[in-house]
Amino acid sequence: MEIYSTKNELQDHLHTLRKAHKKIALVPTMGALHEGHLSLIREAKNSADIVVCSIFVNPTQFNDPQDLEKYPRPIENDIALLKGETCDILFLPTVDEMYPSSDEIWEIDLGELDNLWEGAKRPGHFQGVTQIVYKLFNLVQPDIACFGQKDFQQVMVIQHMIDLKQLPISLKIGPTVRSEKGLALSSRNSRLSEKGKEDALVLYRTLEQTRNNFGQKSLEQLQQEATASITATSTLTLEYFAICETRTLQQAMDKDNTKEYVALVAAWIEGVRLIDNMLLNM
């Protein structure tokens, strides 16, 4: 595996690969890799000749400086995991490399996606996400980009940016990878106690219950039952539970058999914010 820390080195290497007509896939990450990330590396390998993984803890998408400071950075373990998956290239830049100017301005029209759910709870988050992903897209110029379904709203935001900027990139969405009991894998899970991980399983169970009952109960019933189920766990603080149309993420008021729906949830436990989702009729 080749490891590059500067844009120029990476671009020079990728230029050679493109001249050889190699198909390139990009897997952008913030490190602290787990099986969810590795499943995206495998998906990328199945879809392209060359896999580029980036590890960069992007400061512009953090609302809370303490969250940025606490974010895990086990880089030696990450490198070992990527080598184990025979990833071709790791891009490991510094903040100065990606943001050479401290007063850089970025703004993209994300419509309502920037104001709903994660957009509402974390103002500016998706501007920061699109800022760094657009930089990586321009740098790597991938044919394919792989993202995980766990960050469902983020995937919709990236697709919106690809469409808006008319980028020749195919977006591949990998399914959420879960623990044996069902907890969605996340780099932040490492900050949870074993009891915290056990209590957090109510999120998965509630999403499954909502999916299983989707055809039999009204949206209002499903919403009420989900909220009651999560709030009954005293160690969790629910931020939101919502049933939405998949592309717009507008909260659904009535069912329409021609549309697809997703349940979104965000909650706090032991000072850690967890998000999850589940497709309901796909």
Side-chain angles (χ1 to χ4, degrees), residues 24-83:
I24 298 171
L26 172 65
V27 183
T29 82
M30 293 206 301
L33 303 181
H34 50 66
E35 182 59 29
H37 298 107
L38 301 183
S39 71
L40 295 178
I41 298 291
R42 292 178 207 125
E43 174 63 34
K45 287 184 72 67
N46 288 333
S47 306
D49 304 306
I50 300 295
V51 177
V52 180
C53 177
S54 63
I55 293 179
F56 181 67
V57 182
N58 176 40
T60 68
Q61 69 190 68
F62 282 82
N63 306 81
D64 182 354
Q66 287 190 335
D67 193 23
L68 173 61
E69 185 180 331
K70 290 177 184 176
Y71 199 85
R73 296 169 172 84
I75 189 59
E76 290 183 6
N77 185 63
D78 287 349
I79 290 172
L81 290 172
L82 290 174
K83 286 181 176 178

Side-chain angles (χ1 to χ4, degrees), residues 147-263:
F147 289 82
Q149 182 193 318
K150 189 185 83 68
D151 297 293
F152 191 86
Q153 188 170 357
Q154 175 176 279
V155 174
M156 295 299 103
V157 164
I158 299 300
Q159 184 63 67
H160 179 87
M161 182 179 73
I162 288 173
D163 295 342
L164 192 66
K165 299 286 188 181
Q166 298 183 319
L167 302 175
I169 298 171
S170 173
L171 190 64
K172 283 193 172 287
I173 305 171
T176 301
V177 178
R178 300 182 180 276
S179 70
E180 188 175 331
K181 293 184 177 181
L183 184 63
L185 297 190
S186 168
S187 302
R188 289 184 168 87
N189 290 358
S190 62
R191 292 163 52 191
L192 294 175
S193 68
E194 288 306 310
K195 182 180 186 304
K197 292 175 184 175
E198 193 70 29
D199 288 351
L201 289 172
V202 69
L203 302 178
Y204 170 66
R205 290 195 294 266
T206 302
L207 288 169
E208 266 211 322
Q209 176 183 308
T210 303
R211 182 180 63 185
N212 292 340
N213 292 333
F214 185 74
Q216 291 78 44
K217 296 186 178 183
S218 71
L219 297 183
E220 184 178 2
Q221 282 179 296
L222 294 170
Q223 179 77 40
Q224 289 174 350
E225 289 176 3
T227 301
S229 177
I230 295 170
T231 54
T233 305
S234 60
T235 52
L236 265 77
T237 301
L238 179 64
E239 262 196 8
Y240 63 78
F241 183 95
I243 297 173
C244 309
E245 296 176 32
T246 54
R247 287 307 295 264
T248 66
L249 294 192
Q250 293 285 343
Q251 186 161 15
M253 296 295 111
D254 298 294
K255 294 180 191 176
D256 180 337
N257 291 334
T258 67
K259 294 181 178 179
E260 295 167 343
Y261 296 93
V262 61

